[in-house]
PDB file of all heavy atoms in Angstrom:
ATOM      1  N   SER D   1      73.970 -60.938 129.796  1.00 98.00           N
ATOM      2  CA  SER D   1      72.609 -60.659 129.687  1.00 98.00           C
ATOM      3  C   SER D   1      71.862 -61.789 128.924  1.00 98.00           C
ATOM      4  O   SER D   1      72.636 -62.586 128.323  1.00 98.00           O
ATOM      5  CB  SER D   1      72.328 -59.306 129.002  1.00 98.00           C
ATOM      6  OG  SER D   1      72.853 -59.279 127.735  1.00 98.00           O
ATOM      7  N   ARG D   2      70.598 -61.774 128.911  1.00 97.00           N
ATOM      8  CA  ARG D   2      69.956 -62.875 128.180  1.00 97.00           C
ATOM      9  C   ARG D   2      68.641 -62.292 127.631  1.00 97.00           C
ATOM     10  O   ARG D   2      68.008 -61.388 128.175  1.00 97.00           O
ATOM     11  CB  ARG D   2      69.648 -64.047 129.061  1.00 97.00           C
ATOM     12  CG  ARG D   2      68.744 -63.930 130.230  1.00 97.00           C
ATOM     13  CD  ARG D   2      68.640 -65.160 131.147  1.00 97.00           C
ATOM     14  NE  ARG D   2      67.988 -66.304 130.429  1.00 97.00           N
ATOM     15  CZ  ARG D   2      67.962 -67.517 130.942  1.00 97.00           C
ATOM     16  NH1 ARG D   2      68.522 -67.784 132.111  1.00 97.00           N
ATOM     17  NH2 ARG D   2      67.350 -68.455 130.326  1.00 97.00           N
ATOM     18  N   ASP D   3      68.166 -62.982 126.559  1.00 96.00           N
ATOM     19  CA  ASP D   3      66.881 -62.657 125.891  1.00 96.00           C
ATOM     20  C   ASP D   3      66.146 -63.997 125.999  1.00 96.00           C
ATOM     21  O   ASP D   3      66.381 -64.855 125.099  1.00 96.00           O
ATOM     22  CB  ASP D   3      67.153 -62.170 124.474  1.00 96.00           C
ATOM     23  CG  ASP D   3      65.839 -61.799 123.778  1.00 96.00           C
ATOM     24  OD1 ASP D   3      64.708 -62.300 124.202  1.00 96.00           O
ATOM     25  OD2 ASP D   3      65.842 -60.948 122.885  1.00 96.00           O
ATOM     26  N   ASN D   4      65.214 -64.144 126.887  1.00 94.00           N
ATOM     27  CA  ASN D   4      64.512 -65.363 127.170  1.00 94.00           C
ATOM     28  C   ASN D   4      63.711 -65.691 125.897  1.00 94.00           C
ATOM     29  O   ASN D   4      63.446 -66.883 125.595  1.00 94.00           O
ATOM     30  CB  ASN D   4      63.657 -65.311 128.352  1.00 94.00           C
ATOM     31  CG  ASN D   4      64.508 -65.324 129.633  1.00 94.00           C
ATOM     32  OD1 ASN D   4      65.555 -66.045 129.713  1.00 94.00           O
ATOM     33  ND2 ASN D   4      64.116 -64.624 130.683  1.00 94.00           N
ATOM     34  N   ALA D   5      63.104 -64.749 125.203  1.00 94.00           N
ATOM     35  CA  ALA D   5      62.304 -64.996 124.053  1.00 94.00           C
ATOM     36  C   ALA D   5      63.078 -65.623 122.899  1.00 94.00           C
ATOM     37  O   ALA D   5      62.532 -66.316 122.062  1.00 94.00           O
ATOM     38  CB  ALA D   5      61.601 -63.672 123.557  1.00 94.00           C
ATOM     39  N   LYS D   6      64.379 -65.354 122.904  1.00 95.00           N
ATOM     40  CA  LYS D   6      65.286 -65.864 121.856  1.00 95.00           C
ATOM     41  C   LYS D   6      66.123 -67.009 122.272  1.00 95.00           C
ATOM     42  O   LYS D   6      67.004 -67.508 121.561  1.00 95.00           O
ATOM     43  CB  LYS D   6      66.100 -64.729 121.260  1.00 95.00           C
ATOM     44  CG  LYS D   6      65.304 -63.595 120.568  1.00 95.00           C
ATOM     45  CD  LYS D   6      66.234 -62.566 120.009  1.00 95.00           C
ATOM     46  CE  LYS D   6      65.489 -61.449 119.309  1.00 95.00           C
ATOM     47  NZ  LYS D   6      66.341 -60.393 118.802  1.00 95.00           N
ATOM     48  N   ASN D   7      65.968 -67.377 123.588  1.00 95.00           N
ATOM     49  CA  ASN D   7      66.872 -68.419 124.142  1.00 95.00           C
ATOM     50  C   ASN D   7      68.330 -68.122 123.960  1.00 95.00           C
ATOM     51  O   ASN D   7      69.113 -68.962 123.536  1.00 95.00           O
ATOM     52  CB  ASN D   7      66.553 -69.814 123.594  1.00 95.00           C
ATOM     53  CG  ASN D   7      65.178 -70.292 123.874  1.00 95.00           C
ATOM     54  OD1 ASN D   7      64.553 -69.896 124.878  1.00 95.00           O
ATOM     55  ND2 ASN D   7      64.581 -71.153 123.077  1.00 95.00           N
ATOM     56  N   THR D   8      68.634 -66.860 124.185  1.00 97.00           N
ATOM     57  CA  THR D   8      70.028 -66.428 123.842  1.00 97.00           C
ATOM     58  C   THR D   8      70.625 -65.723 125.036  1.00 97.00           C
ATOM     59  O   THR D   8      69.963 -64.940 125.792  1.00 97.00           O
ATOM     60  CB  THR D   8      69.960 -65.423 122.652  1.00 97.00           C
ATOM     61  OG1 THR D   8      69.454 -66.070 121.466  1.00 97.00           O
ATOM     62  CG2 THR D   8      71.404 -64.872 122.355  1.00 97.00           C
ATOM     63  N   VAL D   9      71.879 -65.968 125.297  1.00 97.00           N
ATOM     64  CA  VAL D   9      72.673 -65.292 126.329  1.00 97.00           C
ATOM     65  C   VAL D   9      73.843 -64.556 125.621  1.00 97.00           C
ATOM     66  O   VAL D   9      74.395 -65.051 124.658  1.00 97.00           O
ATOM     67  CB  VAL D   9      73.147 -66.273 127.404  1.00 97.00           C
ATOM     68  CG1 VAL D   9      74.131 -67.290 126.807  1.00 97.00           C
ATOM     69  CG2 VAL D   9      73.810 -65.551 128.545  1.00 97.00           C
ATOM     70  N   TYR D  10      74.204 -63.343 126.163  1.00 98.00           N
ATOM     71  CA  TYR D  10      75.284 -62.566 125.643  1.00 98.00           C
ATOM     72  C   TYR D  10      76.278 -62.356 126.649  1.00 98.00           C
ATOM     73  O   TYR D  10      76.016 -62.365 127.903  1.00 98.00           O
ATOM     74  CB  TYR D  10      74.677 -61.177 125.217  1.00 98.00           C
ATOM     75  CG  TYR D  10      73.478 -61.316 124.236  1.00 98.00           C
ATOM     76  CD1 TYR D  10      72.204 -61.204 124.674  1.00 98.00           C
ATOM     77  CD2 TYR D  10      73.747 -61.490 122.858  1.00 98.00           C
ATOM     78  CE1 TYR D  10      71.125 -61.301 123.803  1.00 98.00           C
ATOM     79  CE2 TYR D  10      72.653 -61.526 122.030  1.00 98.00           C
ATOM     80  CZ  TYR D  10      71.375 -61.430 122.416  1.00 98.00           C
ATOM     81  OH  TYR D  10      70.302 -61.535 121.568  1.00 98.00           O
ATOM     82  N   LEU D  11      77.443 -62.061 126.214  1.00 98.00           N
ATOM     83  CA  LEU D  11      78.543 -61.579 127.067  1.00 98.00           C
ATOM     84  C   LEU D  11      79.239 -60.398 126.391  1.00 98.00           C
ATOM     85  O   LEU D  11      79.941 -60.534 125.414  1.00 98.00           O
ATOM     86  CB  LEU D  11      79.541 -62.681 127.293  1.00 98.00           C
ATOM     87  CG  LEU D  11      80.694 -62.326 128.381  1.00 98.00           C
ATOM     88  CD1 LEU D  11      80.050 -62.139 129.751  1.00 98.00           C
ATOM     89  CD2 LEU D  11      81.777 -63.355 128.393  1.00 98.00           C
ATOM     90  N   GLN D  12      78.960 -59.209 126.962  1.00 98.00           N
ATOM     91  CA  GLN D  12      79.601 -57.962 126.440  1.00 98.00           C
ATOM     92  C   GLN D  12      80.888 -57.756 127.201  1.00 98.00           C
ATOM     93  O   GLN D  12      80.863 -57.692 128.434  1.00 98.00           O
ATOM     94  CB  GLN D  12      78.636 -56.775 126.695  1.00 98.00           C
ATOM     95  CG  GLN D  12      79.301 -55.498 126.256  1.00 98.00           C
ATOM     96  CD  GLN D  12      79.428 -55.314 124.724  1.00 98.00           C
ATOM     97  OE1 GLN D  12      78.476 -55.532 124.000  1.00 98.00           O
ATOM     98  NE2 GLN D  12      80.639 -55.020 124.342  1.00 98.00           N
ATOM     99  N   MET D  13      81.987 -57.744 126.440  1.00 98.00           N
ATOM    100  CA  MET D  13      83.346 -57.682 127.044  1.00 98.00           C
ATOM    101  C   MET D  13      83.970 -56.303 126.663  1.00 98.00           C
ATOM    102  O   MET D  13      84.061 -56.057 125.409  1.00 98.00           O
ATOM    103  CB  MET D  13      84.163 -58.817 126.615  1.00 98.00           C
ATOM    104  CG  MET D  13      83.550 -60.213 126.929  1.00 98.00           C
ATOM    105  SD  MET D  13      84.624 -61.566 126.455  1.00 98.00           S
ATOM    106  CE  MET D  13      84.670 -61.434 124.697  1.00 98.00           C
ATOM    107  N   LYS D  14      84.339 -55.532 127.625  1.00 98.00           N
ATOM    108  CA  LYS D  14      85.030 -54.248 127.410  1.00 98.00           C
ATOM    109  C   LYS D  14      86.380 -54.222 128.103  1.00 98.00           C
ATOM    110  O   LYS D  14      86.594 -55.046 128.998  1.00 98.00           O
ATOM    111  CB  LYS D  14      84.090 -53.111 127.918  1.00 98.00           C
ATOM    112  CG  LYS D  14      82.723 -53.053 127.191  1.00 98.00           C
ATOM    113  CD  LYS D  14      81.952 -51.879 127.795  1.00 98.00           C
ATOM    114  CE  LYS D  14      80.603 -51.806 127.032  1.00 98.00           C
ATOM    115  NZ  LYS D  14      79.726 -50.676 127.598  1.00 98.00           N
ATOM    116  N   SER D  15      87.136 -53.237 127.721  1.00 98.00           N
ATOM    117  CA  SER D  15      88.479 -53.122 128.310  1.00 98.00           C
ATOM    118  C   SER D  15      89.226 -54.469 128.327  1.00 98.00           C
ATOM    119  O   SER D  15      89.768 -54.842 129.404  1.00 98.00           O
ATOM    120  CB  SER D  15      88.351 -52.520 129.769  1.00 98.00           C
ATOM    121  OG  SER D  15      87.710 -51.294 129.710  1.00 98.00           O
ATOM    122  N   LEU D  16      89.258 -55.152 127.259  1.00 98.00           N
ATOM    123  CA  LEU D  16      89.864 -56.477 127.165  1.00 98.00           C
ATOM    124  C   LEU D  16      91.331 -56.408 127.414  1.00 98.00           C
ATOM    125  O   LEU D  16      92.003 -55.478 127.021  1.00 98.00           O
ATOM    126  CB  LEU D  16      89.528 -57.117 125.868  1.00 98.00           C
ATOM    127  CG  LEU D  16      88.081 -57.681 125.765  1.00 98.00           C
ATOM    128  CD1 LEU D  16      87.631 -57.863 124.376  1.00 98.00           C
ATOM    129  CD2 LEU D  16      87.996 -58.974 126.599  1.00 98.00           C
ATOM    130  N   LYS D  17      91.825 -57.473 128.105  1.00 98.00           N
ATOM    131  CA  LYS D  17      93.153 -57.557 128.459  1.00 98.00           C
ATOM    132  C   LYS D  17      93.806 -58.893 127.816  1.00 98.00           C
ATOM    133  O   LYS D  17      93.017 -59.837 127.580  1.00 98.00           O
ATOM    134  CB  LYS D  17      93.381 -57.657 129.948  1.00 98.00           C
ATOM    135  CG  LYS D  17      92.742 -56.547 130.696  1.00 98.00           C
ATOM    136  CD  LYS D  17      92.863 -56.752 132.224  1.00 98.00           C
ATOM    137  CE  LYS D  17      92.253 -55.627 133.046  1.00 98.00           C
ATOM    138  NZ  LYS D  17      92.349 -55.849 134.478  1.00 98.00           N
ATOM    139  N   PRO D  18      95.130 -58.931 127.621  1.00 97.00           N
ATOM    140  CA  PRO D  18      95.682 -60.124 127.062  1.00 97.00           C
ATOM    141  C   PRO D  18      95.329 -61.341 127.879  1.00 97.00           C
ATOM    142  O   PRO D  18      95.123 -62.458 127.282  1.00 97.00           O
ATOM    143  CB  PRO D  18      97.175 -59.836 127.078  1.00 97.00           C
ATOM    144  CG  PRO D  18      97.278 -58.357 126.924  1.00 97.00           C
ATOM    145  CD  PRO D  18      96.061 -57.833 127.663  1.00 97.00           C
ATOM    146  N   GLU D  19      95.189 -61.239 129.143  1.00 96.00           N
ATOM    147  CA  GLU D  19      94.887 -62.343 130.000  1.00 96.00           C
ATOM    148  C   GLU D  19      93.379 -62.859 129.785  1.00 96.00           C
ATOM    149  O   GLU D  19      93.075 -63.906 130.404  1.00 96.00           O
ATOM    150  CB  GLU D  19      95.152 -62.088 131.480  1.00 96.00           C
ATOM    151  CG  GLU D  19      94.549 -60.756 131.967  1.00 96.00           C
ATOM    152  CD  GLU D  19      95.521 -59.652 131.992  1.00 96.00           C
ATOM    153  OE1 GLU D  19      96.275 -59.492 130.983  1.00 96.00           O
ATOM    154  OE2 GLU D  19      95.540 -58.895 132.955  1.00 96.00           O
ATOM    155  N   ASP D  20      92.613 -62.144 129.070  1.00 98.00           N
ATOM    156  CA  ASP D  20      91.245 -62.613 128.753  1.00 98.00           C
ATOM    157  C   ASP D  20      91.274 -63.559 127.591  1.00 98.00           C
ATOM    158  O   ASP D  20      90.190 -64.129 127.213  1.00 98.00           O
ATOM    159  CB  ASP D  20      90.374 -61.417 128.389  1.00 98.00           C
ATOM    160  CG  ASP D  20      90.087 -60.505 129.563  1.00 98.00           C
ATOM    161  OD1 ASP D  20      89.866 -61.060 130.694  1.00 98.00           O
ATOM    162  OD2 ASP D  20      90.152 -59.216 129.384  1.00 98.00           O
ATOM    163  N   THR D  21      92.404 -63.696 126.967  1.00 98.00           N
ATOM    164  CA  THR D  21      92.509 -64.666 125.852  1.00 98.00           C
ATOM    165  C   THR D  21      92.214 -66.061 126.223  1.00 98.00           C
ATOM    166  O   THR D  21      92.810 -66.610 127.175  1.00 98.00           O
ATOM    167  CB  THR D  21      93.889 -64.593 125.207  1.00 98.00           C
ATOM    168  OG1 THR D  21      94.181 -63.261 124.658  1.00 98.00           O
ATOM    169  CG2 THR D  21      94.150 -65.616 124.112  1.00 98.00           C
ATOM    170  N   ALA D  22      91.225 -66.698 125.581  1.00 98.00           N
ATOM    171  CA  ALA D  22      90.838 -67.995 125.886  1.00 98.00           C
ATOM    172  C   ALA D  22      89.763 -68.465 124.883  1.00 98.00           C
ATOM    173  O   ALA D  22      89.252 -67.647 124.065  1.00 98.00           O
ATOM    174  CB  ALA D  22      90.226 -67.987 127.284  1.00 98.00           C
ATOM    175  N   VAL D  23      89.446 -69.749 124.983  1.00 98.00           N
ATOM    176  CA  VAL D  23      88.214 -70.242 124.312  1.00 98.00           C
ATOM    177  C   VAL D  23      87.065 -70.050 125.306  1.00 98.00           C
ATOM    178  O   VAL D  23      87.159 -70.530 126.448  1.00 98.00           O
ATOM    179  CB  VAL D  23      88.350 -71.733 123.898  1.00 98.00           C
ATOM    180  CG1 VAL D  23      87.005 -72.183 123.249  1.00 98.00           C
ATOM    181  CG2 VAL D  23      89.506 -71.892 122.938  1.00 98.00           C
ATOM    182  N   TYR D  24      86.013 -69.316 124.814  1.00 98.00           N
ATOM    183  CA  TYR D  24      84.920 -69.090 125.654  1.00 98.00           C
ATOM    184  C   TYR D  24      83.766 -70.071 125.281  1.00 98.00           C
ATOM    185  O   TYR D  24      83.429 -70.223 124.168  1.00 98.00           O
ATOM    186  CB  TYR D  24      84.438 -67.647 125.430  1.00 98.00           C
ATOM    187  CG  TYR D  24      85.358 -66.670 126.172  1.00 98.00           C
ATOM    188  CD1 TYR D  24      86.605 -66.398 125.767  1.00 98.00           C
ATOM    189  CD2 TYR D  24      84.838 -65.980 127.336  1.00 98.00           C
ATOM    190  CE1 TYR D  24      87.426 -65.515 126.430  1.00 98.00           C
ATOM    191  CE2 TYR D  24      85.695 -65.078 127.980  1.00 98.00           C
ATOM    192  CZ  TYR D  24      86.961 -64.789 127.547  1.00 98.00           C
ATOM    193  OH  TYR D  24      87.797 -63.972 128.176  1.00 98.00           O
ATOM    194  N   TYR D  25      83.234 -70.675 126.356  1.00 98.00           N
ATOM    195  CA  TYR D  25      82.124 -71.655 126.196  1.00 98.00           C
ATOM    196  C   TYR D  25      80.836 -71.175 126.851  1.00 98.00           C
ATOM    197  O   TYR D  25      80.899 -70.621 127.959  1.00 98.00           O
ATOM    198  CB  TYR D  25      82.497 -72.961 126.821  1.00 98.00           C
ATOM    199  CG  TYR D  25      83.761 -73.640 126.216  1.00 98.00           C
ATOM    200  CD1 TYR D  25      85.021 -73.387 126.655  1.00 98.00           C
ATOM    201  CD2 TYR D  25      83.619 -74.536 125.172  1.00 98.00           C
ATOM    202  CE1 TYR D  25      86.144 -74.010 126.156  1.00 98.00           C
ATOM    203  CE2 TYR D  25      84.752 -75.210 124.624  1.00 98.00           C
ATOM    204  CZ  TYR D  25      85.965 -74.913 125.117  1.00 98.00           C
ATOM    205  OH  TYR D  25      87.111 -75.501 124.539  1.00 98.00           O
ATOM    206  N   CYS D  26      79.800 -71.452 126.186  1.00 97.00           N
ATOM    207  CA  CYS D  26      78.449 -71.225 126.711  1.00 97.00           C
ATOM    208  C   CYS D  26      77.938 -72.467 127.404  1.00 97.00           C
ATOM    209  O   CYS D  26      78.076 -73.573 126.791  1.00 97.00           O
ATOM    210  CB  CYS D  26      77.461 -70.819 125.608  1.00 97.00           C
ATOM    211  SG  CYS D  26      75.790 -70.631 126.014  1.00 97.00           S
ATOM    212  N   GLY D  27      77.466 -72.343 128.598  1.00 97.00           N
ATOM    213  CA  GLY D  27      76.843 -73.466 129.268  1.00 97.00           C
ATOM    214  C   GLY D  27      75.445 -73.117 129.733  1.00 97.00           C
ATOM    215  O   GLY D  27      75.014 -71.996 129.871  1.00 97.00           O
ATOM    216  N   ALA D  28      74.636 -74.189 129.936  1.00 96.00           N
ATOM    217  CA  ALA D  28      73.225 -74.015 130.330  1.00 96.00           C
ATOM    218  C   ALA D  28      72.732 -75.209 131.130  1.00 96.00           C
ATOM    219  O   ALA D  28      73.193 -76.328 130.897  1.00 96.00           O
ATOM    220  CB  ALA D  28      72.375 -73.771 129.150  1.00 96.00           C
ATOM    221  N   GLY D  29      71.818 -74.996 132.034  1.00 95.00           N
ATOM    222  CA  GLY D  29      71.281 -76.068 132.817  1.00 95.00           C
ATOM    223  C   GLY D  29      70.436 -75.626 133.985  1.00 95.00           C
ATOM    224  O   GLY D  29      70.169 -74.411 134.111  1.00 95.00           O
ATOM    225  N   SER D  30      70.066 -76.611 134.826  1.00 95.00           N
ATOM    226  CA  SER D  30      69.226 -76.278 135.933  1.00 95.00           C
ATOM    227  C   SER D  30      69.923 -75.745 137.182  1.00 95.00           C
ATOM    228  O   SER D  30      69.383 -75.107 137.993  1.00 95.00           O
ATOM    229  CB  SER D  30      68.492 -77.561 136.365  1.00 95.00           C
ATOM    230  OG  SER D  30      67.606 -78.030 135.265  1.00 95.00           O
ATOM    231  N   VAL D  31      71.235 -76.063 137.242  1.00 94.00           N
ATOM    232  CA  VAL D  31      72.038 -75.687 138.400  1.00 94.00           C
ATOM    233  C   VAL D  31      73.241 -74.871 137.912  1.00 94.00           C
ATOM    234  O   VAL D  31      74.060 -75.315 137.082  1.00 94.00           O
ATOM    235  CB  VAL D  31      72.546 -76.929 139.207  1.00 94.00           C
ATOM    236  CG1 VAL D  31      73.352 -76.462 140.370  1.00 94.00           C
ATOM    237  CG2 VAL D  31      71.338 -77.772 139.639  1.00 94.00           C
ATOM    238  N   ILE D  32      73.363 -73.703 138.390  1.00 92.00           N
ATOM    239  CA  ILE D  32      74.500 -72.837 138.053  1.00 92.00           C
ATOM    240  C   ILE D  32      75.778 -73.500 138.543  1.00 92.00           C
ATOM    241  O   ILE D  32      75.902 -74.050 139.656  1.00 92.00           O
ATOM    242  CB  ILE D  32      74.376 -71.436 138.693  1.00 92.00           C
ATOM    243  CG1 ILE D  32      73.332 -70.656 138.004  1.00 92.00           C
ATOM    244  CG2 ILE D  32      75.684 -70.698 138.661  1.00 92.00           C
ATOM    245  CD1 ILE D  32      73.142 -69.262 138.508  1.00 92.00           C
ATOM    246  N   GLY D  33      76.758 -73.570 137.631  1.00 86.00           N
ATOM    247  CA  GLY D  33      78.047 -74.200 137.914  1.00 86.00           C
ATOM    248  C   GLY D  33      78.076 -75.679 137.649  1.00 86.00           C
ATOM    249  O   GLY D  33      79.149 -76.296 137.764  1.00 86.00           O
ATOM    250  N   ARG D  34      76.923 -76.267 137.313  1.00 92.00           N
ATOM    251  CA  ARG D  34      76.904 -77.648 137.017  1.00 92.00           C
ATOM    252  C   ARG D  34      76.024 -77.838 135.786  1.00 92.00           C
ATOM    253  O   ARG D  34      75.034 -78.530 135.737  1.00 92.00           O
ATOM    254  CB  ARG D  34      76.265 -78.443 138.190  1.00 92.00           C
ATOM    255  CG  ARG D  34      77.194 -78.462 139.360  1.00 92.00           C
ATOM    256  CD  ARG D  34      76.488 -78.979 140.621  1.00 92.00           C
ATOM    257  NE  ARG D  34      75.988 -80.344 140.441  1.00 92.00           N
ATOM    258  CZ  ARG D  34      75.209 -80.937 141.353  1.00 92.00           C
ATOM    259  NH1 ARG D  34      74.911 -80.368 142.433  1.00 92.00           N
ATOM    260  NH2 ARG D  34      74.752 -82.169 141.105  1.00 92.00           N
TER     261      ARG D  34
END
């Protein structure tokens, strides 16, 4: 989700699994995926 007024994006993660273990990075730009 995102709050445009705060220029903030969130990631709510539930039912976490060991395979979710990772470094999580936030990205932003004009083109999704780039």
